[in-house]
Amino acid sequence: MISPKQIYVMSAVAGINVATIYYNQPILNTIAQDLHVSALAVGNLPTFSQIGYGLGLFFVSPLGDKMDRKKLLLISHLLLALSLVGLSIVENLYALYALSLLTGLFAVSAQIVIPMAAAMSGKDKGRVVGSIFSGLLTGILLARTLSGYVTEWFGNWHGIFALSSVLVFACMVGIAKTLPNIEPHFSQSYGSLLASCVYQLKRFALLRANALLITVLFGVFCSFWTTLTFKLSLAPFNFNSDVIGLFGILAVAGALLAPYIGKVADKINPTFTKILSIAMIVVSIILMKVFEDSLAAFIIATLLLDIGFQAVQINNLAQIYTLDEKAHSRINTAYMSSMFLGGALGTAIGVYCWEHGGWALVSLQLLSLSVIALAIIFYSALDSKRTKTL
């Protein structure tokens, strides 16, 4: 069984690792001004980070079923720390693109930890996965606050990446001292391992439905947080990066609910929970569209959107980790690769909409994707009911 100390370390590892691909979001304007490039050019940095994360999910995280996960975590942490050291030094935009890609690639440790925790948790998967995912989401959301403040304190956007490298090295110590060695279940070749990840989608209809749903919703999530930076930096708000980063603290309140959502996910109908959660997201987007000059509307909408997204995600994870205990890493890879592909696309689409239509086009895009997510849930529920009837 997993201990409270191990849950704490795994939550911290998940949060610190995944935060590394979000530090650039609230400081995009600062980077653009420093490098004398356009918002569109610097807006590609989050896209490269998320593409790297997607590649890491597909090519690195499945190794959790083939090799000792503790050893895999230590290797990926070392490579991540070195990538962050590079980001703390370089001044060239294309070097930033490359290092952002590598940072995303090795930050995938968060997705090695989650299936590892599920395998160690026994029957209490919803609660344990919810706790680890709470750490992951807290990392995503606090990354923006920490990044904004560190940039203001140091007067230089490089400082946040230097600090992050130190935190990643600290994670290596926690992993070495706390987490157990776990024997792998998969003994075939690396190529067979990757093919098996894709096969999991063919194997489980529930996995396909949940992967498609989270692809769309994480696109909404990433598009919102990327374009929010541009929106809040303009009139009537005119916020600096440190104030913009405070919105991450707002969303952490929602992230702290993740373990409780996990408990609920173990007990009630997940379809109903997902519909209710996406309804919250739709309401949040409508609030921001109708009251686009209201700070109070943006505060409330941020809370609703993040809580709604987290509820869907934890329900999805609690479901897919019951499919096959021996293929946790491969199932997680298939699911999370889809999710972060959606995040990369959502970020790119969001930046494009901002450049060509401002907040009006961004909010219309967010609303459209949310409606598509609702349609996926209804279709999946009807298809499942029809299959059971047959």
Side-chain angles (χ1 to χ4, degrees), residues 19-20 22-37 41-42 45-46 49 83-100 103 143-165 229 240-242:
T20 61
Y22 293 97
Y23 286 132
N24 52 32
Q25 289 189 5
I27 58 174
L28 291 175
N29 275 342
T30 304
I31 296 173
Q33 291 167 9
D34 186 45
L35 301 182
H36 307 291
V37 296
V42 82
L45 288 173
S49 297
S83 300
L84 290 165
V85 170
L87 284 172
S88 71
I89 298 171
V90 300
E91 293 280 351
N92 179 273
L93 179 63
Y94 295 103
L96 282 177
Y97 286 163
L99 286 167
S100 295
T103 298
R144 299 172 174 89
T145 304
L146 183 63
S147 178
Y149 269 95
V150 169
T151 299
E152 287 295 314
W153 290 339
F154 282 88
N156 188 310
W157 55 268
H158 289 290
I160 184 59
F161 298 111
L163 174 62
S164 180
S165 68
T229 301
N240 294 324
S241 59
D242 55 342

Side-chain angles (χ1 to χ4, degrees), residues 229-244:
T229 301
F230 299 128
K231 173 66 176 173
L232 295 179
S233 64
L234 299 178
F237 305 110
N238 298 312
F239 293 152
N240 294 324
S241 59
D242 55 342
V243 179
I244 294 172

Side-chain angles (χ1 to χ4, degrees), residues 27 29 93 107 127 182 203 227 293 303 306 326 361 367:
I27 58 174
N29 275 342
L93 179 63
R127 181 186 65 82
I182 298 178
R203 190 179 170 199
T227 54
D293 293 332
L303 286 168
D306 280 289
K326 293 183 178 180
L361 187 56
L367 191 59

